Amino acid sequence: MSLTGLPILSILTFLPLAGVLVLAILPGSGPGAAKRFWSIGLAVSLVEFIISIPMLIAFDASVAGMQFTEHVPWIESLGISYSLGLDGISLWLVMLTTFFVPLCILCSFTYIQKKIREYIISFLLIETAMIGTFLAMDLVLFYVFWELMLIPMFLLIGVWGGDRRIYSAVKFFLYTALGSIFMLVAIVVLYFHNLQATGEASFYLFHLLDLHIPVKMQFWLCAAFFLAFAIKVPMFPLHTWLPDAHVEAPTAGSVILASILLKMGTYGFIRFAMPLFPYATHQFIPIIAGLGVIAIVYAALVSWVQPDIKKLVAYSSVSHMGYVLLGLFALNMQGVQGGIYQMLNHGLSTGALFLLVGMIYERRHTRRMDEFGGLAKIMPVFATFLMIATLASVAVPGTNGFVGEFLILLGSFKSYPVLAIIATSGALFSVIYMLWMYQRVMFGPVDKPQNSGLSDLTFRETAIMLPIAVLIIVMGIFPGLFLRQMDASTEQFIHTVKSRYQTYVALEENRLPEACQVAQFKDVLPTESEIRERVSATHGGQ
């Protein structure tokens, strides 16, 4: 299928905004107003998903670079461009986004009873921001979409959340905004350094990848980017905003937060921080990998003692995202592919768990495990879907979670075997706390009279869970269908980071041939004669 000449990425990015405009001009009262709002929101999100399918079909897995690119000057005097692109790394994250948004709107039909129009507008707005973040190739454009995500998520928690919604919303906003401010400063510094070095005003990623950044400057810029992305992941010890946000957010807000928004941090590492600052990245690897392992074990142990099912799933997210970091910073094919695959796996399995927790909460208005028991006898369809999501979360072979964790542990063992061995304990802990949760909720006697009359999943709820369950199994049995699309881009990413790092090392050690042979730096590196002068000065004229 050919999409030549069609701005498919712009259509995907801004179609939800068209839905926002339609919702904004519709009358807000009258008979059937709420039904119209739900219908428009669901229709726009479904069309968005349908449009993304031809993009997936037309994607060329053999091409490592960006496809369907769009590049138009935006603020030309400042070098800011409207630049979009898609590769094998961002492809499945975009598909995950378009897949989950209609499910989130569909699951909110009975739960959201106030300010329905504003609720759907928030979801469509956050969809534009998420897709734009995955596609932006200009740092200013990326930052605009990155910050745009904060507003609708803040509203989803603060307006439609639980009793402590204001506290959780403000905490979420302050944490993420703080990291974003440091990243903005780093972007501006990078821009002026590029302007001074090349005479060219540009925020375009692939121009900046040609730039030689002094090692001392790299550390500060890399730390600023890392802080913004680490908060979003969230990385230990910057994770404390996440459990509060999850517990207080409405069900669909928790789903979109876990399934998509947390992936923005790990995506940012891959797309921007690691390629732009390879020398600093390599120095930070032991710290990041170590914190990833701490998150795996610590969050698993905290999950083990949670009485609230939703909080248990929230802390398990921190643990699973620790695996993603461990894989990405292994910087080999198995680790990086496993990390990307685990981002998708976590989105599906944790999204499914939050959906199911929301469904049972609507019936019982409690999430405490000691309030349940024996639900498998009363709600067999619910029990089946919860078992599938639980098995995926604990990485049982045949589910998607096994493929991701296996690749991560395989790749990380090559790079740092001790940390990989410690990380395996997290897998054991996850089996304990997830099966313990399942056993307490699903089995045993029905000793609470409020549970005896609970209804099983409705047709609407089954329609929400069925495609997620199918994907969990398909990704577990046929991982090649998904890994194949990201092979070339992953290999290029690893080569870019490693080759740029080796070049910086060669420059630091005054090894001329290696430093002068790297193609990416040919326009802005010092010339060979300039490097020889530096060597001569360093070694007393020898």
Side-chain angles (χ1 to χ4, degrees), residues 376-390:
K377 304 170 186 175
I378 304 166
M379 305 174 67
V381 177
F382 176 88
T384 301
F385 284 124
L386 183 60
M387 176 55 77
I388 293 171
T390 299

Side-chain angles (χ1 to χ4, degrees), residues 66 136-139 202-210 271-272 275-276:
M66 293 293 164
M137 293 296 106
D138 180 280
L139 264 64
S202 178
F203 288 94
Y204 185 50
L205 174 63
F206 295 101
H207 289 166
L208 298 176
L209 284 177
D210 289 338
R271 179 65 71 218
F272 297 99
L276 282 170

Side-chain angles (χ1 to χ4, degrees), residues 355-360 363 378-386 454-466:
L355 283 166
L356 290 164
V357 171
M359 290 170 187
I360 198 66
R363 289 161 168 79
I378 304 166
M379 305 174 67
V381 177
F382 176 88
T384 301
F385 284 124
L386 183 60
L454 293 179
S455 61
D456 207 348
L457 298 190
T458 64
F459 175 81
R460 174 181 61 87
E461 292 169 328
T462 304
I464 293 170
M465 296 307 307
L466 187 60

Side-chain angles (χ1 to χ4, degrees), residues 400-433:
N400 56 351
F402 173 77
V403 179
E405 284 194 17
F406 177 77
L407 288 173
I408 288 170
L409 293 174
L410 184 64
S412 59
F413 189 83
K414 291 181 178 180
S415 299
Y416 20 77
V418 174
L419 291 179
I421 291 171
I422 297 173
T424 57
S425 66
L428 174 62
F429 292 142
S430 70
V431 172
I432 294 172
Y433 68 74

Side-chain angles (χ1 to χ4, degrees), residues 55-56 59-68 85-95 134-135 137 267 270-271 336-337 340-341 343-344 481-493:
M55 178 192 70
L56 174 63
F59 185 84
D60 187 349
S62 65
V63 176
M66 293 293 164
Q67 301 182 42
F68 316 116
L86 182 82
D87 67 355
I89 294 171
S90 52
L91 171 67
W92 289 115
L93 294 171
V94 172
M95 293 301 302
F134 287 134
L135 299 178
M137 293 296 106
Y267 173 78
I270 300 171
R271 179 65 71 218
V336 174
Q337 277 205 321
I340 299 170
Y341 205 70
M343 289 160 68
L344 306 176
L481 295 175
F482 302 85
L483 293 172
R484 193 177 304 118
Q485 306 290 337
M486 62 179 80
D487 277 344
S489 297
T490 303
E491 189 173 352
Q492 184 188 59
F493 160 73

